Amino acid sequence: MEELEKLKAGDWYDFRDPAVAQRKARAAQLCQEFNAIPATAPDQQTAKIREIFGSTGQRVSVQATFNCDYGKNIHVGEDFLSNYNLTILDIAPVTFGHNVMVGPNVDIYTVNHPLTPAGRRGYLAKAQPVTIGNDVWIGGKVTINPGVTIGNNVVIASGAVVTHDVPDNVLVGGVPAKVIRSLAEK
């Protein structure tokens, strides 16, 4: 586990590593526990999500189902809300600012694999963090790829695949996501 903690963004690692497997197994158990909590018990859901995440603001709401690879690498600011079926592969940190809304069926990935057959046969993976700013609305069925930084006051249209950094104050959409137009700051 200690070697995994020393990974820097962009370092290759063996995803069969026992420390990775241990993290994933613990996260899977905690996510199963979270997903089993009735929707009519939001205080229990919030307590469990705080156990899973590395840090949260005072107001956090996550709907089931939720799945992650580790959990402790997920950090959310104040007023974080996610709808149903959020998946975060957080071998590297995933950081959300304040006032972030996440639509249903969103996937956020921090892990990537080699483009070469030899690299994939070697079970290699690369961890790259994802950072999401303040006042962001992520629409339904959005995918955010490893290493992406999303600015402040951003709306990501439903179905977008975000493969590159997104500047402040824009609406993006498409596959791959591109800037559609600027947004007012107020």
Side-chain angles (χ1 to χ4, degrees):
M1 184 95 77
E2 198 171 299
E3 288 305 309
L4 196 57
E5 296 295 335
K6 294 178 185 175
L7 271 178
K8 294 183 183 87
D11 285 351
W12 291 104
Y13 65 94
D14 183 334
F15 64 80
R16 300 169 302 171
D17 183 293
V20 173
Q22 182 181 3
R23 282 181 171 191
K24 288 179 87 151
R26 179 185 177 279
Q29 177 185 348
L30 289 171
C31 288
Q32 284 175 342
E33 292 169 7
F34 172 81
N35 293 327
I37 298 169
T40 55
D43 290 344
Q44 289 177 26
Q45 287 178 320
T46 299
K48 183 55 73 173
I49 213 69
R50 284 193 170 116
E51 182 181 346
I52 296 170
F53 286 2
S55 64
T56 71
Q58 288 296 316
R59 291 181 300 277
V60 57
S61 176
V62 176
Q63 303 299 309
T65 59
F66 170 76
N67 292 291
C68 65
D69 264 352
Y70 180 38
K72 292 300 178 190
N73 277 337
I74 301 169
H75 304 277
V76 303
E78 196 60 53
D79 289 319
F80 177 82
L81 169 66
S82 86
N83 214 315
Y84 306 105
N85 303 319
L86 173 60
T87 297
I88 302 176
L89 302 185
D90 65 313
I91 194 78
V94 176
T95 306
F96 296 88
H98 305 301
N99 306 303
V100 174
M101 297 187 307
V102 180
N105 302 305
V106 168
D107 297 317
I108 301 172
Y109 308 135
T110 66
V111 64
N112 211 339
H113 300 284
L115 297 178
T116 64
R120 292 188 302 273
R121 284 187 211 127
Y123 302 99
L124 294 177
K126 184 185 290 189
Q128 295 177 292
V130 170
T131 304
I132 298 165
N134 298 319
D135 301 301
V136 174
W137 174 23
I138 301 169
K141 295 189 179 183
V142 165
T143 299
I144 299 173
N145 282 343
V148 168
T149 295
I150 295 169
N152 297 312
N153 187 31
V154 170
V155 175
I156 303 173
S158 294
V161 177
V162 184
T163 60
H164 293 89
D165 290 353
V166 175
D168 292 347
N169 306 311
V170 294
L171 166 66
V172 298
V175 179
K178 295 183 173 146
V179 173
I180 296 171
R181 67 178 177 93
S182 294
L183 297 175
E185 291 185 45
K186 292 186 180 190

